[in-house]
Amino acid sequence: EAQVTQNPRYLITVTGKKLTVTCSQNMNHEYMSWYRQDPGLGLRQIYYSMNVEVTDKGDVPEGYKVSRKEKRNFPLILESPSPNQTSLYFCASSPLLAPGKTQYFGPGTRLLVL
Amino acid sequence: AQTVTQSQPEMSVQEAETVTLSCTYDTSESNYYLFWYKQPPSRQMILVIRQEAYKQQNATENRFSVNFQKAAKSFSLKISDSQLGDTAMYFCAFIYIIQGAQKLVFGQGTRLTINP
């Protein structure tokens, strides 16, 4: 089954404690991206990757890092989380040369930073 | 600036009625794709319908159809014979390509409630 998985699904942490949210896809997609969803703001892109070792900033990259060492995985790293990073996070993937095709979204990770 | 505006934060209709969700967008790109996503209480993002900007014919998917007005940059979603399972947050979005990167821009969302 084609899918994007994220872990953990729910996370409560404290300010400053480094955390990683994993994202994995099984469709051999080149393009992967991270979004955060906040009330009244829709989804905003944090980072994206067009292929292995190729990453770039989206619209709201401050406070986040990513890496793309393997095609299937695209972890999101919060080195020093702060309360304003409390949000719902989505990972997505799609074929690079078919942007009109469906973006496959993960199930979401709800993060609370105290 | 690339933006999507959904002017209706919330809507509520009775089951079996028809409802239209509004969406306007702004882009200087000529090649882009438009989407409507549904987000039920499970928070999963589900693609409802997709429209290529270069196609004049409005997309339809069963009870869901769009009214795409390219010159007006409008992309509304019509849900016919609404069902209780249509209750969800709906997001309008478009994707464009810039320097090889896909940029997906979302609206703020419309919370739709279908009442029995």
Side-chain angles (χ1 to χ4, degrees):
Chain A
E1 178 190 357
Q3 61 180 350
V4 178
T5 57
Q6 292 179 230
N7 282 294
R9 294 288 310 279
Y10 304 90
L11 180 60
I12 301 174
T13 190
V14 296
T15 298
K17 185 176 181 181
K18 181 179 178 180
L19 66 92
T20 299
V21 184
T22 64
C23 172
S24 183
Q25 49 96 3
N26 63 0
M27 296 163 280
N28 202 37
H29 286 163
E30 297 87 1
Y31 191 86
M32 298 184 74
S33 55
W34 276 102
Y35 299 87
R36 62 177 288 173
Q37 181 182 352
D38 302 292
L41 296 177
L43 279 75
R44 294 177 293 166
Q45 191 180 57
I46 302 170
Y47 268 95
Y48 64 92
S49 169
M50 293 196 285
N51 216 322
V52 175
E53 303 291 3
V54 181
T55 63
D56 207 347
K57 296 176 181 178
D59 299 317
V60 288
E62 294 76 20
Y64 305 94
K65 286 175 55 177
V66 294
S67 69
R68 187 92 181 270
K69 293 183 169 56
E70 302 168 285
K71 197 171 186 178
R72 63 183 292 124
N73 297 324
F74 189 46
L76 178 70
I77 303 157
L78 284 71
E79 295 267 357
S80 183
S82 62
N84 65 11
Q85 292 178 298
T86 291
S87 188
L88 178 60
Y89 291 87
F90 286 99
C91 179
S93 75
S94 66
L96 182 64
L97 298 180
K101 296 294 184 183
T102 302
Q103 300 273 318
Y104 288 80
F105 283 88
T109 295
R110 183 168 289 283
L111 172 65
L112 173 61
V113 183
L114 301 173
Chain B
Q2 322 283 351
T3 60
V4 176
T5 302
Q6 295 178 246
S7 58
Q8 306 148 311
E10 295 186 15
M11 295 189 73
S12 178
V13 298
Q14 296 299 119
E15 192 176 8
E17 290 184 346
T18 294
V19 60
T20 299
L21 309 184
S22 303
C23 172
T24 58
Y25 62 94
D26 189 19
T27 180
S28 54
E29 303 296 324
S30 57
N31 185 22
Y32 54 92
Y33 302 82
L34 295 150
F35 305 90
W36 276 97
Y37 283 94
K38 171 185 178 181
Q39 188 180 49
S42 66
R43 300 295 186 186
Q44 181 71 42
M45 294 293 286
I46 302 167
L47 178 68
V48 174
I49 200 164
R50 172 177 55 229
Q51 172 84 42
E52 292 89 343
Y54 61 85
K55 287 188 177 179
Q56 292 186 338
Q57 186 172 5
N58 289 324
T60 62
E61 285 289 340
N62 301 312
R63 298 182 294 108
F64 299 88
S65 62
V66 297
N67 182 4
F68 176 43
Q69 302 289 328
K70 190 171 184 179
K73 294 182 179 175
S74 171
F75 185 61
S76 61
L77 174 70
K78 185 172 83 171
I79 306 174
S80 303
D81 186 27
S82 58
Q83 301 174 358
L84 297 179
D86 296 332
T87 292
M89 181 74 87
Y90 287 81
F91 290 99
C92 178
F94 75 90
I95 193 168
Y96 65 98
I97 308 300
I98 182 166
Q99 297 178 343
Q102 298 178 16
K103 303 294 288 184
L104 187 57
V105 182
F106 282 86
Q108 308 92 322
T110 295
R111 185 173 301 280
L112 175 65
T113 301
I114 310 298
N115 299 306

